[in-house]
Coordinates of all heavy atoms in Angstrom, one line a residue:
M672 N 104.2 74.1 143.1 CA 103.1 74.2 142.2 C 101.8 73.8 142.9 O 101.8 72.9 143.7 CB 103.4 73.2 141.1 CG 102.3 73.2 140.0 SD 102.8 72.3 138.6 CE 101.5 71.2 138.4
I673 N 100.8 74.6 142.7 CA 99.5 74.3 143.3 C 98.7 73.4 142.4 O 98.6 73.7 141.2 CB 98.8 75.6 143.5 CG1 99.5 76.5 144.6 CG2 97.3 75.4 144.0 CD1 98.9 77.9 144.8
Q674 N 98.1 72.4 142.9 CA 97.2 71.5 142.2 C 95.8 71.7 142.7 O 95.6 71.8 143.9 CB 97.6 70.1 142.3 CG 98.9 69.7 141.6 CD 99.2 68.2 141.8 OE1 99.5 67.7 142.9 NE2 99.1 67.5 140.7
V675 N 94.9 71.8 141.8 CA 93.5 72.0 142.2 C 92.7 70.6 141.9 O 92.9 70.1 140.9 CB 92.8 73.1 141.4 CG1 91.3 73.2 141.7 CG2 93.5 74.4 141.6
F676 N 92.0 70.2 143.0 CA 91.2 68.9 142.9 C 89.8 69.3 143.1 O 89.3 69.2 144.3 CB 91.7 67.9 143.9 CG 93.2 67.5 143.7 CD1 94.2 68.1 144.4 CD2 93.5 66.5 142.8 CE1 95.5 67.7 144.2 CE2 94.8 66.1 142.6 CZ 95.8 66.7 143.3
P677 N 89.0 69.6 142.1 CA 87.6 70.0 142.3 C 86.8 68.8 143.0 O 87.1 67.7 142.7 CB 87.1 70.3 140.9 CG 88.3 70.5 140.1 CD 89.4 69.7 140.7
A678 N 85.9 69.2 143.8 CA 85.1 68.2 144.5 C 84.5 67.1 143.6 O 84.5 65.9 143.9 CB 84.0 68.8 145.4
D679 N 83.9 67.6 142.5 CA 83.3 66.6 141.6 C 84.2 65.7 140.9 O 83.8 64.7 140.2 CB 82.3 67.3 140.6 CG 83.1 68.3 139.7 OD1 84.2 68.6 139.9 OD2 82.4 68.7 138.7
E680 N 85.5 65.9 141.0 CA 86.5 65.0 140.4 C 87.2 64.1 141.5 O 88.0 63.3 141.1 CB 87.6 65.8 139.7 CG 87.0 66.5 138.5 CD 88.0 67.4 137.7 OE1 89.2 67.2 138.0 OE2 87.6 68.3 136.9
R681 N 86.9 64.3 142.8 CA 87.5 63.5 143.8 C 86.7 62.3 144.1 O 85.6 62.1 143.7 CB 87.6 64.3 145.1 CG 88.7 65.4 145.0 CD 88.8 66.1 146.4 NE 87.9 67.3 146.3 CZ 87.3 67.8 147.4 NH1 87.5 67.3 148.6 NH2 86.6 68.9 147.3
Y682 N 87.4 61.3 144.8 CA 86.7 60.1 145.2 C 85.5 60.4 146.0 O 85.4 61.4 146.7 CB 87.7 59.3 146.0 CG 87.2 57.9 146.4 CD1 87.3 56.9 145.6 CD2 86.6 57.7 147.7 CE1 86.8 55.6 145.9 CE2 86.1 56.5 148.1 CZ 86.2 55.4 147.2 OH 85.8 54.2 147.5
S683 N 84.4 59.7 145.8 CA 83.2 59.9 146.5 C 82.8 58.7 147.4 O 83.1 57.6 147.1 CB 82.0 60.3 145.6 OG 81.6 59.2 144.9
V684 N 82.3 59.1 148.6 CA 81.9 58.1 149.6 C 80.4 58.2 149.8 O 79.9 59.4 149.9 CB 82.6 58.3 150.9 CG1 82.1 57.4 152.0 CG2 84.1 58.1 150.7
D685 N 79.6 57.1 149.8 CA 78.2 57.2 150.2 C 77.9 56.0 151.1 O 77.8 54.9 150.7 CB 77.4 57.1 148.9 CG 75.9 57.3 149.2 OD1 75.5 57.2 150.4 OD2 75.1 57.5 148.3
N686 N 77.8 56.4 152.4 CA 77.5 55.4 153.5 C 76.0 55.5 153.8 O 75.6 55.0 154.9 CB 78.4 55.7 154.7 CG 79.8 55.4 154.4 OD1 80.2 54.5 153.6 ND2 80.7 56.2 155.0
G687 N 75.2 56.0 153.0 CA 73.8 56.2 153.3 C 73.5 57.4 154.1 O 73.0 58.4 153.6
W688 N 73.9 57.4 155.4 CA 73.8 58.6 156.3 C 74.8 59.7 156.1 O 74.6 60.8 156.5 CB 73.8 58.2 157.7 CG 75.1 57.6 158.2 CD1 75.5 56.3 158.0 CD2 76.1 58.3 158.8 NE1 76.8 56.2 158.5 CE2 77.2 57.4 159.0 CE3 76.3 59.6 159.3 CZ2 78.4 57.8 159.6 CZ3 77.5 60.0 159.9 CH2 78.5 59.1 160.1
L689 N 75.9 59.3 155.4 CA 77.0 60.3 155.2 C 77.5 60.1 153.7 O 77.8 59.1 153.3 CB 78.2 60.0 156.1 CG 79.4 60.8 155.9 CD1 80.0 61.2 157.3 CD2 80.5 60.2 155.1
R690 N 77.5 61.3 153.1 CA 78.1 61.3 151.7 C 79.2 62.3 151.8 O 79.1 63.4 152.4 CB 77.0 61.8 150.7 CG 76.0 60.7 150.5 CD 74.7 61.2 150.0 NE 74.1 62.3 150.8 CZ 73.5 62.2 152.0 NH1 73.5 61.0 152.6 NH2 73.0 63.2 152.6
G691 N 80.4 62.0 151.2 CA 81.5 62.9 151.3 C 82.5 62.7 150.1 O 82.4 61.8 149.3
R692 N 83.4 63.7 150.0 CA 84.4 63.7 149.0 C 85.7 64.0 149.8 O 86.0 65.2 150.1 CB 84.1 64.7 147.9 CG 82.9 64.3 147.1 CD 83.0 64.9 145.8 NE 81.8 64.5 145.0 CZ 81.9 63.6 144.0 NH1 83.0 63.0 143.8 NH2 80.8 63.3 143.3
P693 N 86.6 63.0 150.1 CA 87.8 63.2 150.8 C 88.8 63.9 149.8 O 88.9 63.6 148.6 CB 88.3 61.8 151.2 CG 87.6 60.9 150.3 CD 86.3 61.5 149.9
S694 N 89.6 64.8 150.4 CA 90.7 65.4 149.6 C 91.9 64.6 149.6 O 92.7 64.6 148.7 CB 91.0 66.8 150.2 OG 89.9 67.7 150.1
F695 N 92.1 63.8 150.7 CA 93.3 62.9 150.8 C 92.9 61.5 151.1 O 91.7 61.2 151.4 CB 94.2 63.4 151.9 CG 94.5 64.9 151.9 CD1 94.1 65.6 153.0 CD2 95.0 65.5 150.8 CE1 94.4 67.0 153.0 CE2 95.3 66.9 150.8 CZ 94.9 67.6 151.9
S696 N 93.8 60.5 151.0 CA 93.5 59.2 151.4 C 92.8 59.1 152.7 O 93.3 59.7 153.7 CB 94.8 58.3 151.4 OG 95.3 58.1 150.2
F697 N 91.7 58.4 152.8 CA 90.9 58.4 154.0 C 90.0 57.2 153.9 O 89.3 57.1 152.9 CB 90.2 59.7 154.2 CG 89.4 59.8 155.5 CD1 90.0 60.0 156.7 CD2 88.0 59.6 155.5 CE1 89.3 60.1 157.9 CE2 87.3 59.7 156.7 CZ 87.9 60.0 157.8
G698 N 89.9 56.4 155.0 CA 88.9 55.3 155.0 C 89.2 54.3 153.8 O 90.3 53.9 153.7
E699 N 88.2 54.1 153.1 CA 88.3 53.1 152.0 C 89.1 53.6 150.8 O 89.5 52.9 149.9 CB 87.0 52.6 151.5 CG 86.1 53.7 150.9 CD 84.7 53.3 150.7 OE1 84.1 52.7 151.6 OE2 84.2 53.5 149.6
Y700 N 89.3 54.9 150.7 CA 90.0 55.5 149.6 C 91.5 55.6 149.9 O 91.9 56.2 150.9 CB 89.5 57.0 149.4 CG 90.4 57.8 148.4 CD1 90.7 57.3 147.2 CD2 90.9 59.0 148.9 CE1 91.5 58.1 146.3 CE2 91.7 59.8 148.0 CZ 92.0 59.3 146.8 OH 92.8 60.1 145.9
A701 N 92.3 54.9 149.2 CA 93.8 54.8 149.4 C 94.5 55.2 148.2 O 94.4 54.6 147.1 CB 94.2 53.4 149.8
D702 N 95.3 56.3 148.3 CA 96.2 56.8 147.2 C 97.5 57.2 147.9 O 97.6 58.2 148.5 CB 95.5 58.0 146.5 CG 96.4 58.5 145.4 OD1 97.5 58.1 145.2 OD2 96.0 59.5 144.8
P703 N 98.5 56.3 147.8 CA 99.8 56.6 148.5 C 100.4 57.9 148.0 O 101.2 58.5 148.8 CB 100.7 55.4 148.1 CG 99.7 54.3 147.6 CD 98.5 55.0 147.1
A704 N 100.1 58.4 146.9 CA 100.6 59.7 146.4 C 99.8 60.9 146.9 O 100.2 62.0 146.6 CB 100.6 59.7 144.9
N705 N 98.7 60.6 147.7 CA 97.9 61.7 148.1 C 97.5 61.5 149.6 O 96.3 61.2 149.8 CB 96.7 61.9 147.2 CG 95.9 63.1 147.5 OD1 96.3 64.1 148.1 ND2 94.6 63.0 147.2
T706 N 98.4 61.6 150.5 CA 98.1 61.2 151.9 C 97.9 62.4 152.8 O 97.7 62.2 154.0 CB 99.2 60.3 152.5 OG1 100.5 61.1 152.4 CG2 99.4 59.0 151.7
G707 N 98.1 63.6 152.3 CA 97.9 64.8 153.2 C 98.6 66.0 152.6 O 99.2 66.0 151.6
F708 N 98.5 67.1 153.4 CA 99.2 68.3 153.1 C 99.9 68.8 154.3 O 99.2 69.3 155.3 CB 98.2 69.3 152.5 CG 98.8 70.6 152.1 CD1 99.4 70.8 150.9 CD2 98.7 71.7 153.0 CE1 100.0 72.0 150.5 CE2 99.2 73.0 152.6 CZ 99.9 73.1 151.4
G709 N 101.2 68.7 154.4 CA 101.9 69.0 155.7 C 101.3 68.2 156.8 O 101.3 67.0 156.7
V710 N 100.9 68.8 157.9 CA 100.4 68.1 159.0 C 98.9 67.7 158.9 O 98.3 67.0 159.6 CB 100.6 68.8 160.4 CG1 102.1 69.0 160.7 CG2 99.9 70.1 160.4
M711 N 98.2 68.3 157.8 CA 96.8 68.0 157.6 C 96.7 66.6 157.0 O 97.3 66.4 155.9 CB 96.2 69.1 156.7 CG 94.7 68.8 156.5 SD 93.9 70.0 155.4 CE 94.1 71.5 156.3
R712 N 95.9 65.8 157.6 CA 95.7 64.4 157.1 C 94.3 64.1 156.5 O 94.1 63.2 155.8 CB 96.0 63.4 158.2 CG 97.5 63.4 158.6 CD 98.4 62.9 157.5 NE 99.8 63.0 157.9 CZ 100.6 63.8 157.2 NH1 100.2 64.5 156.2 NH2 101.9 63.9 157.5
V713 N 93.4 64.9 157.0 CA 92.0 64.7 156.6 C 91.4 66.0 156.2 O 91.5 67.0 157.0 CB 91.1 64.0 157.7 CG1 89.7 63.8 157.2 CG2 91.7 62.7 158.1
C714 N 90.7 66.1 155.1 CA 90.0 67.3 154.7 C 88.9 66.8 153.8 O 89.1 66.5 152.6 CB 90.9 68.3 154.0 SG 90.0 69.8 153.5
N715 N 87.7 66.6 154.4 CA 86.6 66.1 153.6 C 85.4 67.1 153.5 O 85.2 67.9 154.4 CB 86.0 64.9 154.4 CG 86.9 63.7 154.5 OD1 87.9 63.7 153.8 ND2 86.6 62.8 155.4
D716 N 84.8 67.0 152.4 CA 83.5 67.7 152.2 C 82.4 66.6 152.5 O 82.2 65.7 151.7 CB 83.3 68.2 150.8 CG 84.2 69.3 150.4 OD1 84.7 70.0 151.3 OD2 84.5 69.5 149.2
D717 N 81.8 66.7 153.7 CA 80.8 65.7 154.1 C 79.4 66.3 154.2 O 79.3 67.5 154.7 CB 81.2 65.2 155.5 CG 82.5 64.3 155.4 OD1 82.7 63.7 154.4 OD2 83.1 64.1 156.5
F718 N 78.5 65.5 153.9 CA 77.0 65.8 154.0 C 76.4 64.7 154.8 O 76.5 63.6 154.4 CB 76.4 66.0 152.7 CG 76.9 67.1 151.8 CD1 78.0 66.9 151.1 CD2 76.3 68.3 151.9 CE1 78.6 68.0 150.3 CE2 76.9 69.4 151.1 CZ 78.0 69.2 150.4
L719 N 75.8 65.1 156.0 CA 75.2 64.1 156.9 C 73.7 64.2 156.9 O 73.2 65.3 156.8 CB 75.7 64.3 158.3 CG 77.1 63.9 158.6 CD1 78.1 64.8 158.0 CD2 77.3 63.7 160.1
D720 N 73.0 63.1 157.0 CA 71.6 63.1 157.1 C 71.2 63.7 158.4 O 71.9 63.6 159.4 CB 71.0 61.7 157.0 CG 71.0 61.1 155.6 OD1 71.2 61.9 154.6 OD2 70.8 59.9 155.5
P721 N 70.0 64.3 158.5 CA 69.5 64.9 159.7 C 69.4 63.9 160.8 O 69.1 62.7 160.6 CB 68.1 65.4 159.3 CG 68.1 65.6 157.9 CD 69.1 64.6 157.3
G722 N 69.8 64.3 162.0 CA 69.7 63.4 163.2 C 70.9 62.4 163.3 O 71.0 61.6 164.2
K723 N 71.9 62.6 162.3 CA 73.1 61.7 162.3 C 74.3 62.6 162.7 O 74.2 63.8 162.7 CB 73.3 61.1 161.0 CG 72.2 60.3 160.4 CD 72.0 59.0 161.3 CE 70.9 58.2 160.7 NZ 70.7 57.0 161.5
G724 N 75.3 61.9 163.2 CA 76.5 62.6 163.5 C 77.6 61.6 163.7 O 77.5 60.4 163.3
F725 N 78.7 62.0 164.3 CA 79.8 61.1 164.5 C 79.8 60.6 166.0 O 80.1 61.4 166.9 CB 81.1 61.8 164.2 CG 81.2 62.2 162.8 CD1 81.0 63.5 162.4 CD2 81.6 61.3 161.8 CE1 81.0 63.9 161.1 CE2 81.6 61.7 160.5 CZ 81.4 63.0 160.1
G726 N 79.5 59.4 166.2 CA 79.5 58.8 167.5 C 80.9 58.7 168.1 O 81.8 59.0 167.4
A727 N 81.0 58.2 169.3 CA 82.3 58.0 169.9 C 83.3 57.2 169.0 O 82.9 56.2 168.6 CB 82.1 57.4 171.3
H728 N 84.4 57.8 168.8 CA 85.5 57.1 168.1 C 86.8 57.7 168.5 O 86.9 58.9 169.0 CB 85.3 57.3 166.6 CG 85.2 58.7 166.1 ND1 84.0 59.5 166.2 CD2 86.1 59.5 165.5 CE1 84.2 60.6 165.7 NE2 85.5 60.7 165.2
P729 N 87.9 57.0 168.3 CA 89.2 57.4 168.8 C 89.9 58.5 167.9 O 89.7 58.5 166.7 CB 90.0 56.1 168.9 CG 89.4 55.3 167.8 CD 88.0 55.6 167.8
H730 N 90.7 59.3 168.6 CA 91.6 60.2 167.9 C 92.9 60.2 168.7 O 92.9 60.1 169.9 CB 91.0 61.6 167.9 CG 89.8 61.8 167.0 ND1 89.9 62.2 165.7 CD2 88.5 61.7 167.3 CE1 88.7 62.3 165.2 NE2 87.8 62.0 166.1
S731 N 94.0 60.4 168.0 CA 95.3 60.5 168.7 C 96.0 61.7 168.2 O 96.3 61.9 167.0 CB 96.1 59.2 168.3 OG 97.4 59.3 168.9
D732 N 96.2 62.7 169.1 CA 96.9 63.9 168.8 C 96.3 64.6 167.6 O 97.0 64.9 166.6 CB 98.4 63.7 168.7 CG 99.0 63.1 169.9 OD1 98.6 63.5 171.0 OD2 99.9 62.2 169.8
M733 N 95.0 64.8 167.6 CA 94.3 65.4 166.4 C 93.4 66.5 166.8 O 92.7 66.4 167.8 CB 93.6 64.3 165.7 CG 92.9 64.7 164.4 SD 92.1 63.4 163.6 CE 93.4 62.3 163.1
E734 N 93.4 67.5 166.0 CA 92.4 68.6 166.2 C 91.4 68.5 165.1 O 91.7 68.2 164.0 CB 93.1 70.0 166.1 CG 94.1 70.3 167.2 CD 93.5 70.4 168.6 OE1 92.3 70.8 168.7 OE2 94.1 70.0 169.5
I735 N 90.1 68.7 165.4 CA 89.0 68.6 164.5 C 88.5 70.0 164.2 O 88.2 70.7 165.2 CB 87.9 67.7 165.0 CG1 88.4 66.3 165.5 CG2 86.7 67.6 164.0 CD1 88.9 65.5 164.4
V736 N 88.3 70.3 163.0 CA 87.7 71.6 162.6 C 86.5 71.3 161.7 O 86.6 70.6 160.7 CB 88.6 72.5 161.8 CG1 87.9 73.8 161.4 CG2 89.9 72.9 162.7
S737 N 85.3 71.6 162.2 CA 84.1 71.4 161.4 C 83.5 72.8 161.1 O 83.3 73.6 162.0 CB 83.1 70.6 162.2 OG 83.6 69.3 162.4
I738 N 83.2 73.0 159.8 CA 82.5 74.2 159.4 C 81.1 73.8 159.0 O 80.9 73.1 158.0 CB 83.2 74.8 158.2 CG1 84.6 75.2 158.6 CG2 82.4 76.1 157.7 CD1 85.5 75.7 157.5
V739 N 80.1 74.1 159.9 CA 78.7 73.7 159.7 C 78.0 74.8 158.9 O 78.0 75.9 159.3 CB 78.1 73.5 161.1 CG1 76.6 73.0 160.9 CG2 78.9 72.5 161.9
L740 N 77.5 74.4 157.7 CA 76.8 75.3 156.8 C 75.4 75.4 157.1 O 74.7 76.5 156.8 CB 77.1 74.9 155.4 CG 78.5 74.9 154.9 CD1 78.6 74.5 153.5 CD2 79.2 76.2 155.2
K741 N 74.8 74.4 157.6 CA 73.3 74.3 157.9 C 73.1 73.4 159.0 O 73.6 72.3 159.0 CB 72.6 73.9 156.6 CG 71.1 73.9 156.8 CD 70.5 73.5 155.4 CE 69.0 73.4 155.5 NZ 68.4 72.9 154.3
G742 N 72.3 73.8 160.0 CA 71.9 72.9 161.1 C 73.0 72.8 162.2 O 73.7 73.8 162.5
Q743 N 73.1 71.6 162.7 CA 74.1 71.3 163.8 C 74.8 70.0 163.6 O 74.2 69.1 162.9 CB 73.4 71.3 165.2 CG 72.7 72.5 165.6 CD 72.1 72.3 167.0 OE1 71.5 71.3 167.2 NE2 72.2 73.3 167.8
I744 N 75.9 69.8 164.2 CA 76.6 68.5 164.2 C 77.1 68.2 165.6 O 77.5 69.1 166.3 CB 77.8 68.5 163.2 CG1 78.3 67.1 163.1 CG2 78.9 69.5 163.6 CD1 79.3 66.9 161.9
R745 N 77.0 67.0 166.0 CA 77.4 66.5 167.3 C 78.6 65.6 167.1 O 78.6 64.8 166.1 CB 76.3 65.7 168.0 CG 76.7 65.1 169.3 CD 75.6 64.3 169.8 NE 76.0 63.3 170.8 CZ 75.7 63.4 172.1 NH1 74.9 64.4 172.5 NH2 76.1 62.5 173.0
H746 N 79.7 65.8 167.9 CA 80.9 65.0 167.7 C 81.3 64.5 169.1 O 81.4 65.2 170.0 CB 82.0 65.9 167.1 CG 83.2 65.1 166.7 ND1 84.2 64.8 167.6 CD2 83.6 64.5 165.6 CE1 85.2 64.1 167.0 NE2 84.8 63.9 165.8
E747 N 81.6 63.2 169.2 CA 82.0 62.5 170.4 C 83.4 61.9 170.2 O 83.6 61.3 169.1 CB 81.1 61.4 170.9 CG 79.8 61.8 171.4 CD 78.9 60.6 171.8 OE1 79.4 59.9 172.7 OE2 77.9 60.5 171.3
D748 N 84.3 62.0 171.1 CA 85.5 61.2 171.0 C 85.6 60.1 172.1 O 84.7 60.1 173.0 CB 86.8 62.1 171.0 CG 87.0 62.8 172.3 OD1 86.6 62.3 173.4 OD2 87.7 63.8 172.3
S749 N 86.6 59.3 172.0 CA 86.8 58.2 172.9 C 87.1 58.6 174.4 O 87.1 57.8 175.3 CB 87.8 57.2 172.4 OG 89.0 57.8 172.2
L750 N 87.4 59.9 174.6 CA 87.8 60.4 175.9 C 86.5 60.9 176.6 O 86.6 61.4 177.8 CB 88.8 61.4 175.8 CG 90.2 61.0 175.2 CD1 91.1 62.2 175.1 CD2 90.8 59.9 176.1
G751 N 85.4 60.8 176.0 CA 84.1 61.3 176.6 C 83.8 62.7 176.3 O 82.8 63.3 176.8
N752 N 84.6 63.4 175.4 CA 84.3 64.8 175.1 C 83.2 64.8 174.0 O 83.2 64.0 173.1 CB 85.5 65.4 174.4 CG 86.7 65.5 175.4 OD1 86.6 66.0 176.5 ND2 87.8 64.9 175.0
V753 N 82.2 65.6 174.3 CA 81.0 65.7 173.4 C 80.8 67.2 173.1 O 80.8 68.0 174.0 CB 79.8 65.2 174.0 CG1 78.6 65.3 173.1 CG2 79.9 63.7 174.4
E754 N 80.7 67.6 171.8 CA 80.5 68.9 171.4 C 79.4 69.0 170.3 O 79.3 68.1 169.5 CB 81.8 69.5 170.8 CG 82.9 69.7 171.8 CD 82.6 70.8 172.9 OE1 81.8 71.7 172.6 OE2 83.1 70.7 174.0
T755 N 78.7 70.0 170.3 CA 77.7 70.3 169.3 C 78.0 71.6 168.7 O 78.1 72.6 169.4 CB 76.2 70.3 169.8 OG1 76.0 69.0 170.4 CG2 75.2 70.5 168.7
A756 N 78.2 71.7 167.4 CA 78.5 72.9 166.7 C 77.3 73.3 165.8 O 76.7 72.4 165.2 CB 79.7 72.8 165.9
S757 N 77.0 74.5 165.7 CA 75.8 75.0 164.9 C 76.4 75.8 163.7 O 77.5 76.4 163.8 CB 74.9 75.9 165.7 OG 74.4 75.1 166.8
A758 N 75.5 75.9 162.7 CA 75.9 76.8 161.6 C 76.2 78.2 162.1 O 75.5 78.7 162.9 CB 74.8 76.8 160.6
G759 N 77.2 78.8 161.5 CA 77.6 80.2 161.9 C 78.5 80.3 163.1 O 79.0 81.4 163.4
E760 N 78.8 79.2 163.8 CA 79.7 79.3 165.0 C 81.1 79.2 164.5 O 81.5 78.6 163.5 CB 79.4 78.2 165.9 CG 78.2 78.3 166.7 CD 78.0 77.2 167.7 OE1 78.6 76.2 167.7 OE2 77.2 77.5 168.6

């Protein structure tokens, strides 16, 4: 059975520079009945303030997919990898 969780009905996060709506348990939002979909563990609708991004932070055996709708986003991991993605890429 397919369940639909519209963004406006999901948990919301507001860290000032980042506003988001996680689809699954993530960060401060914990729901043991909603921890992911198959191997997917994180699926967030995030909005970042201009000039902000995700600084260096650890990942373990994880692929990141970012769909940039406007502007650019910079992402750094703890291994020193740095990428910038632009809208339309």
